[in-house]
Amino acid sequence: MSEDDSSTAPEQGEKKRGWLERLSAAFSGEPHTRDQLVAVLKTAEQDGLIAADTLRMMEGAIAVAELTVGDVMIPRSQMVSLPVEQPFLELMKQVVESGHSRFPVHGENKDDVLGILLAKDLLRGVIADATHTSIRELLRPAVLIPEAKKLNVLLKEFRLSRNHMAIVVDEYGGVAGVVTIEDVLEQIVGEIDDEHDEAEDHTAQIAIQADGRYVVDALTAIEDFNERFGATFSDDDYDTIGGLVTEAVGHLPEIGDELALDRFVFRVARANARRVQAFHVTVLPPDPQDEA
């Protein structure tokens, strides 16, 4: 062994012992609760033992065990669900416009879930038989889960069953929403954007701009919107502004789409492949004839 080699080995061993000692010291407090564990992890990050991104993912993984499906699901009002009896070409158009890969398919109403349609199955069906008039034979079984299911349990079930989507049902058996494996993973790794997503501003649900328009988060409760603007939109069927506008449009709106409702003009400001995220809202002056 050369003299250089003999001097390098002890130095590497010393570095390894130093790292192990620091790691051991970081966990020497023997945390007994999740809060204590998170505190230890934050100390480890401050000491340079783990990166900030690693800390955020570890915190997310810990939080998943405490969250339920109801905390992260896409609500019924923002689901893209396909009616089984809709003309085949219209269904194909909706699939293409939405950008999704999986779709709940329902009968007479959204509570009558018949199965899940995969976009790849639809394409294969079209190629194999161009005479298709119904998508019933292309459907895969739908997995129904309660809102109270823990996310860590659902993630394990997704992994074992190789399903990527589940229909969420409420205590009465009605459809409350839908949840995907992406929704669960985002709780661990953060928002998963694609190349079409724009950066979101979460500073407020309703914010006024310099040009007099408002930026309104799609998840703003209709009740809160009505209170802010003196509107009279009903919240009997939908809880959020996003759900109300999506239903009025008839399909998942895209960025730039506009819709006038009452004295408000909604223009989609932000959206991704799964849901509308925010609107630019212009408040029109009241009609003088209405005041007369």
Side-chain angles (χ1 to χ4, degrees):
M1 179 181 292
S2 68
E3 185 175 334
D4 288 342
D5 291 339
S6 62
S7 62
T8 300
E11 181 180 347
Q12 291 177 339
E14 185 64 31
K15 288 183 178 179
K16 184 175 181 180
R17 283 195 300 271
W19 184 87
L20 289 173
E21 288 172 358
R22 292 171 65 194
L23 183 62
S24 176
F27 287 90
S28 61
E30 297 183 3
H32 299 288
T33 67
R34 286 192 176 95
D35 290 341
Q36 291 176 355
L37 177 58
V38 170
V40 169
L41 292 173
K42 288 182 177 179
T43 300
E45 187 268 335
Q46 293 169 1
D47 290 343
L49 295 179
I50 58 176
D53 288 343
T54 302
L55 172 62
R56 283 194 290 271
M57 284 191 287
M58 295 174 80
E59 288 180 309
I62 293 171
V64 161
E66 300 177 338
L67 296 173
T68 66
V69 169
D71 294 322
V72 304
M73 70 179 184
I74 298 171
R76 176 190 177 113
S77 61
Q78 294 192 20
M79 285 174 53
V80 179
S81 184
L82 305 177
V84 70
E85 298 299 341
Q86 190 171 9
F88 196 70
L89 290 179
E90 292 184 20
L91 287 174
M92 291 182 62
K93 181 179 179 182
Q94 192 170 351
V95 167
V96 172
E97 287 179 348
S98 71
H100 295 203
S101 60
R102 292 170 173 79
F103 304 85
V105 176
H106 62 81
E108 294 184 359
N109 55 62
K110 287 187 176 182
D111 290 322
D112 182 22
V113 177
L114 303 177
I116 302 296
L117 175 67
L118 273 60
K120 65 180 182 180
D121 290 344
L122 177 64
L123 292 175
R124 288 170 182 165
V126 172
I127 294 173
D129 184 1
T131 63
H132 271 304
T133 58
S134 173
I135 58 174
R136 288 182 183 271
E137 60 266 34
L138 302 177
L139 299 184
R140 300 194 181 194
V143 176
L144 305 181
I145 60 173
E147 292 181 79
K149 181 182 283 290
K150 293 291 186 180
L151 285 191
N152 59 333
V153 176
L154 176 62
L155 183 58
K156 182 178 180 180
E157 292 177 355
F158 273 150
R159 182 171 56 85
L160 294 176
S161 66
R162 302 180 69 180
N163 283 322
H164 286 191
M165 172 181 282
I167 305 300
V168 186
V169 296
D170 59 27
E171 58 184 315
Y172 304 105
V175 172
V178 66
V179 64
T180 68
I181 193 171
E182 182 177 332
D183 296 320
V184 181
L185 292 177
E186 283 183 344
Q187 302 306 308
I188 301 174
V189 302
E191 186 76 17
I192 302 174
D193 296 329
D194 62 28
E195 66 273 20
H196 303 295
D197 290 339
E198 295 186 355
E200 289 188 69
D201 179 6
H202 297 285
T203 55
Q205 284 199 307
I206 301 176
I208 191 169
Q209 298 185 124
D211 60 4
R213 292 187 303 171
Y214 292 84
V215 177
V216 178
D217 190 296
L219 294 179
T220 300
I222 293 175
E223 180 181 1
D224 294 339
F225 185 92
N226 287 345
E227 182 177 351
R228 176 68 181 270
F229 296 106
T232 57
F233 293 123
S234 171
D235 58 359
D236 291 341
D237 297 322
Y238 301 97
D239 298 324
T240 67
I241 285 295
L244 178 73
V245 175
T246 299
E247 175 63 19
V249 172
H251 59 82
L252 185 68
E254 299 178 351
I255 294 175
D257 285 354
E258 284 190 356
L259 177 71
L261 290 175
D262 196 9
R263 58 188 181 90
F264 303 93
V265 177
F266 296 88
R267 181 182 177 86
V268 179
R270 295 195 302 273
N272 60 25
R274 294 181 297 128
R275 53 179 173 251
V276 176
Q277 298 168 324
F279 300 97
H280 284 142
V281 178
T282 302
V283 182
L284 304 176
D287 189 333
Q289 294 183 352
D290 293 338
E291 296 181 344

